[in-house]
Amino acid sequence: QTILCLPRSFEYSQKNAVLVPATALGVGGMLVFWLRSRHKIKTIEMGDGWWGSGERPLKGKEDESIRPFKIETSDKEIEDLHRRLEQARYTPPLEGAAFHYGFNSNYLQKVVAYWRNQFDWRKQVEVLNKYPHFRTTIEGIDIHFIHVKPSYVPHGRAVQPLLMVHGWPGSFYEFYKIIPLLTEPAGHGLNEGDVVFEVICPSIPGYGFSEAPHQKGFDTIATARIFHKLMNRLGFKQYYVQGGDWGSRITTNMAQMLPQSVKGLHVNLVFVNKQGLRRMISVMLGAYVPWLVGLTREDVRRTYPFMQKNIYDLLRESGYLHIQATKPDTAGCGLNDSPVGLAAYILEKFSTWTDKSFLHQDDGGLESKYSLDELLTNVMIYWVTSSIVSSMRFYKENFSKDPDLIVHERVGVYVPTGIAAFPQEIVHTPRVWAKQNFKNIITYTYMPRGGHFAAFEEPKLLAQDIMHFVRKVEQL
């Protein structure tokens, strides 16, 4: 019987000799694949788009030329503006209302009087044209941008390309004060050693001098793709990107889309919408034992009382968002027809988004941080281009697809990231919360002062933080 069993056991051992290594190899292969897939960086698919009028042409390559562009004005344009300013109607404000009901109409009349009688649009056009402007056609629409190179580069110093993206209701003009600090740092007391930039500031399509999309669905991902194409067309393979407001979302999408092209991402507003049990516990314990949930004392000071700063204040400042995310064209009709209405709508944001306490001042504190020439130049960019409606549509296109903007948070940001947290920003995002999305935070700075329009309000502080961040990335 033993002899009879020998052939069977030999046959069984032969099968094992084949099966065991094969099984081990299969399991091992699956394990390696799982480990590799875990470490594979998930990205937003780049895709393609067409935003021109009508159907995309079947034949013929898009004109990729980069054309010099100059802002111009005319007597007719200025006369039409003056006529509308003179015919404005006002509703008297409630006594003691300050800016609690929106833009105070008594102060608005002073702004309009300055606009009509002292503001020199021709002079401001010269200011706008002091940097080189260009336009190029991408995905069927004309994209406007300024491109400023340093006039002098010390021997051995590398020039870093930096794309800076504005938001709403701002424009490329927001960066006019920070550009010389970045391109000529030594000449402005910013002796930052080895860091000097050439700066590219595009206008988001539908804003200012960039053509508005003619098709539905133009969101931040489409914008990110177009701006990648723009940088590639300018001959850059790798570059830094920076933004606040929508610019933060667009540049973050750029980092999620082509991480190999983005050397570093710097933002002065962080979108983090993940809630869940972990966040709830963090909020509940943060006020009492902040160290237990990774919050600093400064985080506590900026975040609490939580309901006041993150719910009530946000609700008060976001009524515009609901309108623009649902029916932008209706509200936009009046703003596009009335320069006074447009100024009130835009400048109100430059008041309370710069400093929440400005709500209590009759003049909204506007002239404590900006000049009327600066503020009205930004308004004029919207007025002369009739771009307020198309800029408002950007909210509809983004929120109708993804009301909580959660889609973007399913893809982590792995490129080196710098965050400048300004104390008067609409919401504060502690570093420990930001880390859920931004996996490679190199610098996180509690800025000493400033609000939402950082480059416009505190150009030197922002420039210093960008330089500090880039220097650290370059040393990695």
Side-chain angles (χ1 to χ4, degrees):
Q1 196 174 2
T2 306
I3 293 167
L4 285 170
C5 286
L6 279 172
R8 286 184 196 169
S9 63
F10 178 70
E11 189 181 331
Y12 182 72
S13 63
Q14 273 191 316
K15 284 181 182 178
N16 274 353
V18 175
L19 284 173
V20 171
T23 305
L25 192 65
V27 171
M30 287 173 68
L31 185 63
V32 168
F33 176 79
W34 179 73
L35 286 169
R36 286 188 66 184
S37 65
R38 279 188 72 205
H39 290 288
K40 187 180 178 184
I41 294 175
K42 193 177 178 184
T43 59
I44 291 176
E45 192 173 334
M46 189 160 179
D48 199 9
W50 169 258
W51 309 105
S53 185
E55 295 290 324
R56 187 174 200 157
L58 295 174
K59 292 181 180 179
K61 194 178 178 185
E62 189 165 70
D63 177 11
E64 296 187 356
S65 65
I66 294 168
R67 308 175 294 277
F69 175 77
K70 192 175 182 181
I71 299 169
E72 295 177 338
T73 188
S74 65
D75 290 340
K76 186 179 178 182
E77 184 176 75
I78 295 169
E79 286 163 9
D80 176 66
L81 171 70
H82 287 174
R83 179 181 58 80
R84 291 169 186 264
L85 293 177
E86 288 163 0
Q87 294 179 351
R89 300 190 305 171
Y90 302 90
T91 302
L94 295 171
E95 292 180 13
F99 262 56
H100 286 275
Y101 285 71
F103 206 106
N104 186 292
S105 59
N106 284 344
Y107 178 62
L108 181 60
Q109 289 180 68
K110 293 179 182 177
V111 172
V112 172
Y114 179 88
W115 198 358
R116 170 63 183 85
N117 301 314
Q118 292 171 265
F119 178 77
D120 188 342
W121 176 232
R122 290 188 185 281
K123 181 183 172 185
Q124 293 308 115
V125 165
E126 287 179 19
V127 171
L128 291 173
N129 283 327
K130 76 176 181 179
Y131 294 130
H133 292 249
F134 303 90
R135 289 178 96 178
T136 188
T137 307
I138 304 176
E139 298 188 6
I141 52 176
D142 285 343
I143 306 301
H144 161 261
F145 64 98
I146 57 174
H147 186 180
V148 188
K149 299 178 182 180
S151 59
Y152 169 72
V153 181
H155 180 70
R157 186 174 298 183
V159 178
Q160 302 295 343
L162 173 65
L163 179 85
M164 302 189 80
V165 185
H166 66 87
W168 186 92
S171 64
F172 66 92
Y173 177 61
E174 282 181 70
F175 301 115
Y176 267 49
K177 288 187 279 189
I178 198 173
I179 285 170
L181 307 183
L182 297 168
T183 56
E184 316 284 349
H188 294 85
L190 293 173
N191 224 340
E192 295 294 334
D194 52 349
V195 180
V196 64
F197 298 93
E198 60 178 295
V199 180
I200 300 92
C201 298
S203 295
I204 298 170
Y207 289 68
F209 299 99
S210 275
E211 187 178 352
H214 297 269
Q215 311 293 332
K216 293 188 291 183
F218 188 84
D219 58 7
T220 58
I221 291 175
T223 314
R225 180 178 65 244
I226 281 178
F227 287 171
H228 271 308
K229 289 181 177 182
L230 170 64
M231 294 300 278
N232 188 255
R233 194 169 290 183
L234 291 171
F236 300 115
K237 301 301 178 195
Q238 286 191 309
Y239 33 89
Y240 288 92
V241 294
Q242 200 284 329
D245 195 86
W246 280 124
S248 169
R249 171 66 55 165
I250 292 163
T251 53
T252 297
N253 288 163
M254 290 178 76
Q256 293 167 315
M257 187 178 286
L258 291 178
Q260 68 274 23
S261 295
V262 177
K263 290 181 78 176
L265 164 71
H266 187 281
V267 293
N268 51 278
L269 175 64
V270 175
F271 291 91
V272 176
N273 294 313
K274 284 181 184 173
Q275 301 302 324
L277 184 62
R278 185 177 170 186
R279 175 66 61 81
M280 195 184 298
I281 292 168
S282 180
V283 169
M284 289 170 66
L285 297 179
Y288 306 102
V289 282
W291 50 269
L292 194 63
V293 289
L295 299 183
T296 66
R297 286 183 181 180
E298 187 61 21
D299 289 330
V300 172
R301 196 179 71 78
R302 296 186 184 193
T303 308
Y304 298 91
F306 187 82
M307 290 297 287
Q308 178 64 51
K309 292 188 175 180
N310 296 272
I311 306 296
Y312 303 139
D313 286 356
L314 207 58
L315 283 172
R316 185 190 67 219
E317 294 300 331
S318 60
Y320 80 98
L321 188 151
H322 191 80
I323 292 170
Q324 294 177 193
T326 51
K327 304 285 182 70
D329 286 32
T330 306
C333 284
L335 303 179
N336 196 44
D337 190 58
S338 166
V340 175
L342 181 68
Y345 196 71
I346 288 176
L347 296 186
E348 180 229 295
K349 306 307 178 195
F350 279 87
S351 167
T352 48
W353 291 4
T354 295
D355 191 317
K356 299 175 187 74
S357 70
F358 287 172
L359 200 68
H360 310 298
Q361 299 184 29
D362 289 340
D363 63 357
L366 278 168
E367 292 176 76
S368 64
K369 290 295 180 83
Y370 315 103
S371 72
L372 285 181
D373 280 347
E374 289 171 346
L375 292 168
L376 290 171
T377 297
N378 183 65
V379 173
M380 284 295 288
I381 289 169
Y382 282 88
W383 177 253
V384 301
T385 58
S386 293
S387 60
I388 188 62
V389 175
S390 51
S391 76
M392 292 162 71
R393 286 176 184 158
F394 204 49
Y395 287 78
K396 170 84 171 174
E397 303 296 15
N398 282 285
F399 284 96
S400 61
K401 284 184 186 176
D402 182 19
D404 297 319
L405 298 180
I406 293 295
V407 168
H408 308 263
E409 297 191 0
R410 293 182 189 142
V411 178
V413 180
Y414 292 89
V415 306
T417 302
I419 297 170
F422 284 85
Q424 288 295 330
E425 184 55 90
I426 301 165
V427 289
H428 174 67
T429 303
R431 180 175 186 148
V432 68
W433 295 357
K435 280 167 66 177
Q436 293 175 35
N437 291 74
F438 299 88
K439 311 296 185 182
N440 189 11
I441 297 174
I442 304 297
T443 63
Y444 182 101
T445 312
Y446 296 101
M447 307 303 280
R449 62 185 178 277
H452 187 72
F453 303 98
F456 204 39
E457 181 196 349
E458 295 289 350
K460 193 166 186 177
L461 283 180
L462 185 61
Q464 286 171 327
D465 199 66
I466 294 168
M467 288 174 173
H468 174 60
F469 163 67
V470 170
R471 196 186 308 107
K472 279 205 158 190
V473 175
E474 291 297 312
Q475 289 170 355
L476 291 176

Coordinates of all heavy atoms in Angstrom, one line a residue, residues 323-387:
I323 N -26.8 84.5 -5.7 CA -27.3 85.1 -6.9 C -26.5 84.7 -8.2 O -27.1 84.2 -9.2 CB -27.4 86.6 -6.8 CG1 -28.4 87.1 -5.7 CG2 -27.7 87.3 -8.1 CD1 -28.3 88.5 -5.4
Q324 N -25.2 84.8 -8.1 CA -24.3 84.6 -9.2 C -24.3 83.1 -9.5 O -24.0 82.7 -10.7 CB -23.0 85.2 -9.0 CG -23.0 86.7 -8.9 CD -21.7 87.4 -8.6 OE1 -21.8 88.6 -8.3 NE2 -20.6 86.7 -8.6
A325 N -24.5 82.2 -8.5 CA -24.4 80.8 -8.8 C -25.8 80.2 -9.3 O -25.9 79.1 -9.7 CB -24.1 80.0 -7.5
T326 N -26.8 81.1 -9.4 CA -28.1 80.6 -9.9 C -28.6 81.4 -11.1 O -28.8 80.9 -12.2 CB -29.1 80.7 -8.7 OG1 -29.1 82.0 -8.1 CG2 -28.9 79.6 -7.7
K327 N -28.8 82.8 -10.9 CA -29.3 83.6 -12.0 C -28.4 84.8 -12.3 O -28.8 86.0 -12.1 CB -30.7 84.1 -11.6 CG -31.7 82.9 -11.3 CD -32.2 82.2 -12.6 CE -33.2 81.1 -12.2 NZ -34.5 81.6 -11.8
P328 N -27.2 84.6 -12.7 CA -26.3 85.8 -12.9 C -26.7 86.8 -13.9 O -26.5 88.0 -13.7 CB -24.9 85.1 -13.3 CG -25.3 83.8 -13.9 CD -26.5 83.3 -13.1
D329 N -27.3 86.3 -15.0 CA -27.7 87.2 -16.1 C -28.7 88.3 -15.7 O -28.7 89.4 -16.2 CB -28.2 86.4 -17.3 CG -27.1 85.7 -18.0 OD1 -26.1 85.3 -17.4 OD2 -27.2 85.6 -19.2
T330 N -29.6 87.9 -14.7 CA -30.7 88.8 -14.3 C -30.1 90.0 -13.5 O -30.3 91.1 -13.9 CB -31.7 88.1 -13.4 OG1 -32.2 87.0 -14.1 CG2 -32.9 89.0 -13.1
A331 N -29.3 89.7 -12.5 CA -28.7 90.7 -11.7 C -27.7 91.5 -12.5 O -27.5 92.7 -12.3 CB -28.0 90.1 -10.5
G332 N -27.0 90.8 -13.4 CA -26.0 91.5 -14.2 C -26.5 92.5 -15.2 O -25.8 93.4 -15.5
C333 N -27.8 92.5 -15.5 CA -28.4 93.4 -16.5 C -28.2 94.9 -15.9 O -27.8 95.8 -16.6 CB -29.9 93.2 -16.7 SG -30.2 91.8 -17.8
G334 N -28.6 95.1 -14.7 CA -28.5 96.4 -14.1 C -27.1 96.9 -13.9 O -26.8 98.0 -14.2
L335 N -26.2 96.0 -13.5 CA -24.8 96.3 -13.3 C -24.1 96.7 -14.6 O -23.3 97.6 -14.7 CB -24.1 95.2 -12.6 CG -24.6 94.7 -11.3 CD1 -23.8 93.5 -10.8 CD2 -24.7 95.8 -10.3
N336 N -24.5 96.0 -15.7 CA -23.9 96.3 -17.0 C -24.4 97.6 -17.6 O -23.8 98.1 -18.5 CB -24.1 95.1 -18.0 CG -23.2 95.1 -19.2 OD1 -22.0 95.3 -19.0 ND2 -23.8 94.9 -20.3
D337 N -25.5 98.0 -17.1 CA -26.1 99.2 -17.7 C -25.8 100.5 -16.9 O -25.9 101.6 -17.4 CB -27.7 99.1 -17.8 CG -28.3 100.2 -18.5 OD1 -28.0 100.4 -19.7 OD2 -29.2 100.9 -18.0
S338 N -25.5 100.3 -15.6 CA -25.3 101.4 -14.7 C -23.9 101.4 -14.1 O -23.6 100.5 -13.3 CB -26.3 101.4 -13.6 OG -26.0 102.3 -12.5
P339 N -23.0 102.4 -14.4 CA -21.7 102.4 -13.8 C -21.8 102.6 -12.3 O -20.9 102.1 -11.5 CB -21.0 103.6 -14.5 CG -22.1 104.4 -15.1 CD -23.2 103.5 -15.4
V340 N -22.8 103.4 -11.8 CA -22.9 103.6 -10.4 C -23.3 102.3 -9.7 O -22.7 102.0 -8.6 CB -24.0 104.7 -10.1 CG1 -24.2 104.9 -8.6 CG2 -23.5 106.0 -10.7
G341 N -24.2 101.6 -10.2 CA -24.6 100.3 -9.6 C -23.4 99.3 -9.6 O -23.2 98.6 -8.7
L342 N -22.7 99.3 -10.7 CA -21.5 98.5 -10.8 C -20.4 98.8 -9.8 O -19.9 97.9 -9.1 CB -20.9 98.6 -12.2 CG -19.6 97.7 -12.5 CD1 -20.0 96.3 -12.6 CD2 -19.0 98.2 -13.9
A343 N -20.2 100.1 -9.6 CA -19.2 100.5 -8.6 C -19.6 100.1 -7.2 O -18.8 99.6 -6.4 CB -19.0 102.0 -8.7
A344 N -20.9 100.3 -6.9 CA -21.4 100.0 -5.5 C -21.3 98.5 -5.3 O -20.8 98.0 -4.2 CB -22.9 100.4 -5.4
Y345 N -21.6 97.7 -6.3 CA -21.6 96.2 -6.2 C -20.2 95.7 -6.0 O -19.9 94.9 -5.1 CB -22.2 95.6 -7.4 CG -22.6 94.2 -7.3 CD1 -23.7 93.8 -6.5 CD2 -21.9 93.2 -8.0 CE1 -24.1 92.5 -6.5 CE2 -22.3 91.8 -7.9 CZ -23.4 91.5 -7.2 OH -23.8 90.2 -7.1
I346 N -19.2 96.3 -6.8 CA -17.8 95.8 -6.7 C -17.1 96.4 -5.5 O -16.5 95.6 -4.7 CB -17.1 96.2 -8.0 CG1 -17.5 95.3 -9.1 CG2 -15.6 96.0 -7.8 CD1 -16.9 95.6 -10.5
L347 N -17.2 97.7 -5.2 CA -16.5 98.3 -4.2 C -16.9 97.9 -2.8 O -16.1 97.9 -1.8 CB -16.5 99.8 -4.3 CG -15.9 100.4 -5.6 CD1 -15.8 101.9 -5.6 CD2 -14.4 99.8 -5.8
E348 N -18.2 97.5 -2.6 CA -18.6 97.0 -1.3 C -17.7 95.8 -0.9 O -17.4 95.6 0.3 CB -20.1 96.5 -1.4 CG -20.7 96.0 -0.1 CD -21.4 94.7 -0.3 OE1 -22.4 94.7 -1.1 OE2 -20.9 93.7 0.2
K349 N -17.3 95.0 -1.9 CA -16.5 93.8 -1.6 C -15.1 94.2 -1.2 O -14.5 93.6 -0.3 CB -16.4 92.8 -2.8 CG -17.7 92.4 -3.3 CD -18.6 91.8 -2.2 CE -20.0 91.4 -2.8 NZ -20.9 91.1 -1.7
F350 N -14.6 95.3 -1.8 CA -13.3 95.8 -1.4 C -13.3 96.5 0.0 O -12.2 96.7 0.6 CB -12.8 96.8 -2.5 CG -12.2 96.1 -3.7 CD1 -13.0 95.7 -4.7 CD2 -10.8 95.8 -3.7 CE1 -12.5 95.1 -5.8 CE2 -10.3 95.2 -4.8 CZ -11.1 94.8 -5.9
S351 N -14.5 96.7 0.5 CA -14.6 97.2 1.9 C -14.5 96.1 2.9 O -13.5 95.9 3.6 CB -15.9 98.0 2.0 OG -16.2 98.3 3.4
T352 N -15.6 95.3 2.9 CA -15.7 94.3 4.0 C -14.8 93.1 3.8 O -14.5 92.4 4.8 CB -17.2 93.9 4.2 OG1 -17.7 93.5 2.9 CG2 -18.0 95.0 4.8
W353 N -14.4 92.8 2.6 CA -13.4 91.7 2.4 C -12.0 92.1 2.7 O -11.1 91.2 2.9 CB -13.5 91.2 1.0 CG -14.8 90.5 0.7 CD1 -15.9 90.3 1.5 CD2 -15.1 89.8 -0.6 NE1 -16.9 89.6 0.8 CE2 -16.4 89.3 -0.4 CE3 -14.4 89.6 -1.8 CZ2 -17.1 88.6 -1.5 CZ3 -15.1 88.9 -2.8 CH2 -16.4 88.4 -2.6
T354 N -11.7 93.4 2.8 CA -10.4 93.9 3.2 C -10.3 93.9 4.8 O -9.3 93.5 5.3 CB -10.2 95.3 2.7 OG1 -10.1 95.2 1.3 CG2 -8.9 95.9 3.2
D355 N -11.4 94.3 5.4 CA -11.4 94.3 6.9 C -12.9 94.2 7.3 O -13.7 95.1 7.0 CB -10.7 95.5 7.4 CG -10.5 95.5 8.9 OD1 -11.4 95.0 9.7 OD2 -9.4 95.9 9.3
K356 N -13.2 93.2 8.1 CA -14.6 93.0 8.5 C -15.1 94.2 9.3 O -16.3 94.5 9.3 CB -14.8 91.7 9.3 CG -14.4 90.5 8.5 CD -14.4 89.2 9.4 CE -13.9 88.0 8.7 NZ -12.4 88.0 8.6
S357 N -14.3 94.9 10.1 CA -14.7 96.0 10.9 C -15.1 97.2 10.1 O -15.7 98.1 10.6 CB -13.6 96.4 11.9 OG -12.5 97.0 11.2
F358 N -14.7 97.3 8.8 CA -15.1 98.4 8.0 C -16.6 98.5 7.8 O -17.1 99.5 7.3 CB -14.4 98.3 6.6 CG -13.0 98.6 6.6 CD1 -12.2 98.4 5.5 CD2 -12.3 99.0 7.7 CE1 -10.8 98.6 5.4 CE2 -10.9 99.3 7.7 CZ -10.2 99.1 6.6
L359 N -17.3 97.5 8.1 CA -18.8 97.4 8.1 C -19.4 98.6 8.9 O -20.4 99.1 8.6 CB -19.3 96.1 8.7 CG -20.6 95.6 8.4 CD1 -20.8 95.2 6.9 CD2 -20.9 94.3 9.2
H360 N -18.7 99.0 10.0 CA -19.2 100.0 10.9 C -18.8 101.4 10.5 O -19.2 102.4 11.2 CB -18.6 99.7 12.3 CG -18.8 98.3 12.8 ND1 -20.0 97.7 12.9 CD2 -17.9 97.3 13.1 CE1 -19.9 96.4 13.3 NE2 -18.6 96.2 13.4
Q361 N -18.1 101.6 9.4 CA -17.7 102.9 9.0 C -18.6 103.5 7.9 O -18.9 102.7 6.9 CB -16.2 102.9 8.6 CG -15.3 102.5 9.7 CD -13.8 102.6 9.3 OE1 -13.5 103.4 8.4 NE2 -13.0 101.7 9.9
D362 N -18.9 104.8 7.9 CA -19.8 105.4 6.9 C -19.2 105.3 5.5 O -19.9 105.2 4.5 CB -20.0 106.8 7.2 CG -21.0 107.0 8.5 OD1 -21.7 106.0 8.8 OD2 -21.0 108.0 9.1
D363 N -17.8 105.3 5.4 CA -17.2 105.3 4.1 C -16.6 103.9 3.8 O -15.9 103.7 2.8 CB -16.0 106.3 4.0 CG -14.9 106.0 5.0 OD1 -15.0 105.1 5.8 OD2 -13.9 106.8 5.0
G364 N -17.0 102.9 4.6 CA -16.5 101.5 4.4 C -15.0 101.3 4.5 O -14.5 100.3 4.1
G365 N -14.3 102.3 5.1 CA -12.9 102.2 5.2 C -12.1 102.1 3.9 O -10.9 101.8 4.0
L366 N -12.8 102.3 2.8 CA -12.1 102.1 1.5 C -10.8 102.8 1.3 O -9.8 102.3 0.8 CB -13.1 102.4 0.4 CG -14.1 101.3 0.1 CD1 -15.2 101.8 -0.9 CD2 -13.4 100.1 -0.5
E367 N -10.9 104.1 1.6 CA -9.7 104.9 1.3 C -8.6 104.8 2.4 O -7.5 105.4 2.2 CB -10.1 106.4 1.2 CG -11.0 106.6 -0.1 CD -11.5 108.0 -0.2 OE1 -10.7 108.9 -0.6 OE2 -12.7 108.2 0.1
S368 N -8.8 104.0 3.4 CA -7.7 103.7 4.3 C -6.7 102.7 3.8 O -5.6 102.7 4.2 CB -8.3 103.2 5.7 OG -8.9 102.0 5.5
K369 N -7.1 102.0 2.8 CA -6.2 100.9 2.2 C -5.9 101.1 0.7 O -4.9 100.7 0.2 CB -6.8 99.5 2.4 CG -6.8 99.1 3.9 CD -5.4 98.9 4.4 CE -5.3 98.4 5.8 NZ -5.5 97.0 6.0
Y370 N -6.8 101.8 0.0 CA -6.7 102.0 -1.4 C -7.0 103.5 -1.8 O -7.6 104.2 -1.0 CB -7.7 101.1 -2.2 CG -7.8 99.7 -1.7 CD1 -8.9 99.3 -0.9 CD2 -6.8 98.8 -2.0 CE1 -9.0 98.0 -0.5 CE2 -6.9 97.4 -1.6 CZ -8.0 97.1 -0.8 OH -8.1 95.8 -0.4
S371 N -6.5 103.9 -2.9 CA -6.9 105.2 -3.4 C -8.1 105.0 -4.3 O -8.3 103.9 -4.9 CB -5.7 105.8 -4.2 OG -5.6 105.2 -5.5
L372 N -8.9 106.1 -4.5 CA -10.1 106.0 -5.4 C -9.6 105.8 -6.8 O -10.4 105.1 -7.5 CB -10.9 107.3 -5.3 CG -11.7 107.5 -4.0 CD1 -12.5 108.8 -4.1 CD2 -12.7 106.3 -3.8
D373 N -8.5 106.3 -7.2 CA -8.0 106.0 -8.6 C -7.8 104.5 -8.8 O -8.1 103.9 -9.8 CB -6.7 106.7 -8.8 CG -6.9 108.2 -9.2 OD1 -8.1 108.6 -9.5 OD2 -5.9 109.0 -9.2
E374 N -7.2 103.8 -7.8 CA -7.0 102.4 -7.9 C -8.3 101.6 -7.9 O -8.5 100.7 -8.8 CB -6.1 101.9 -6.7 CG -4.7 102.4 -6.7 CD -4.0 102.1 -5.4 OE1 -4.7 101.7 -4.3 OE2 -2.7 102.2 -5.4
L375 N -9.2 102.0 -7.0 CA -10.5 101.3 -7.0 C -11.3 101.5 -8.2 O -11.9 100.5 -8.8 CB -11.3 101.8 -5.8 CG -10.7 101.4 -4.4 CD1 -11.4 102.2 -3.3 CD2 -10.8 99.9 -4.1
L376 N -11.3 102.7 -8.7 CA -12.1 103.0 -9.9 C -11.5 102.4 -11.2 O -12.2 102.1 -12.1 CB -12.4 104.5 -10.0 CG -13.3 105.1 -9.0 CD1 -13.3 106.6 -9.0 CD2 -14.7 104.6 -9.1
T377 N -10.2 102.3 -11.2 CA -9.5 101.7 -12.4 C -10.0 100.2 -12.5 O -10.3 99.7 -13.6 CB -8.0 101.7 -12.2 OG1 -7.6 103.1 -12.2 CG2 -7.3 101.0 -13.4
N378 N -10.1 99.5 -11.4 CA -10.6 98.1 -11.4 C -12.0 98.1 -11.9 O -12.4 97.2 -12.7 CB -10.4 97.5 -10.0 CG -10.8 96.0 -10.0 OD1 -10.2 95.2 -10.6 ND2 -11.9 95.7 -9.3
V379 N -12.8 99.0 -11.4 CA -14.2 99.0 -11.8 C -14.3 99.3 -13.3 O -15.1 98.7 -14.0 CB -15.0 100.1 -11.0 CG1 -16.4 100.3 -11.6 CG2 -15.1 99.7 -9.5
M380 N -13.5 100.3 -13.8 CA -13.5 100.6 -15.2 C -13.1 99.5 -16.1 O -13.6 99.4 -17.2 CB -12.5 101.8 -15.4 CG -13.1 103.1 -15.0 SD -14.5 103.7 -15.9 CE -13.8 104.1 -17.5
I381 N -12.3 98.6 -15.6 CA -11.9 97.4 -16.4 C -13.2 96.5 -16.7 O -13.4 96.1 -17.8 CB -10.8 96.6 -15.8 CG1 -9.5 97.3 -15.8 CG2 -10.6 95.2 -16.4 CD1 -8.4 96.8 -14.9
Y382 N -14.0 96.4 -15.7 CA -15.3 95.7 -15.9 C -16.2 96.5 -16.8 O -17.0 96.0 -17.7 CB -16.0 95.4 -14.6 CG -15.4 94.3 -13.8 CD1 -14.3 94.4 -13.0 CD2 -15.9 93.0 -13.9 CE1 -13.8 93.4 -12.3 CE2 -15.4 91.9 -13.2 CZ -14.3 92.1 -12.4 OH -13.8 91.0 -11.7
W383 N -16.3 97.9 -16.6 CA -17.2 98.7 -17.3 C -16.9 98.8 -18.8 O -17.8 98.5 -19.7 CB -17.2 100.1 -16.7 CG -18.1 101.1 -17.5 CD1 -17.7 102.1 -18.3 CD2 -19.5 101.0 -17.5 NE1 -18.9 102.7 -18.9 CE2 -20.0 102.1 -18.4 CE3 -20.5 100.2 -16.9 CZ2 -21.3 102.3 -18.6 CZ3 -21.9 100.5 -17.1 CH2 -22.2 101.5 -18.0
V384 N -15.7 99.1 -19.2 CA -15.4 99.3 -20.6 C -15.4 98.0 -21.4 O -15.5 98.0 -22.6 CB -14.0 100.0 -20.8 CG1 -14.0 101.4 -20.1 CG2 -12.8 99.2 -20.3
T385 N -15.3 96.9 -20.7 CA -15.3 95.6 -21.4 C -16.7 94.9 -21.4 O -16.8 93.8 -21.9 CB -14.2 94.6 -20.8 OG1 -14.5 94.5 -19.4 CG2 -12.8 95.2 -21.0
S386 N -17.6 95.5 -20.6 CA -18.9 94.9 -20.4 C -18.8 93.5 -19.9 O -19.5 92.6 -20.4 CB -19.8 94.9 -21.7 OG -20.1 96.3 -22.0
S387 N -17.9 93.2 -19.0 CA -17.6 91.9 -18.6 C -18.2 91.5 -17.2 O -17.9 90.3 -16.8 CB -16.1 91.7 -18.6 OG -15.5 92.5 -17.6

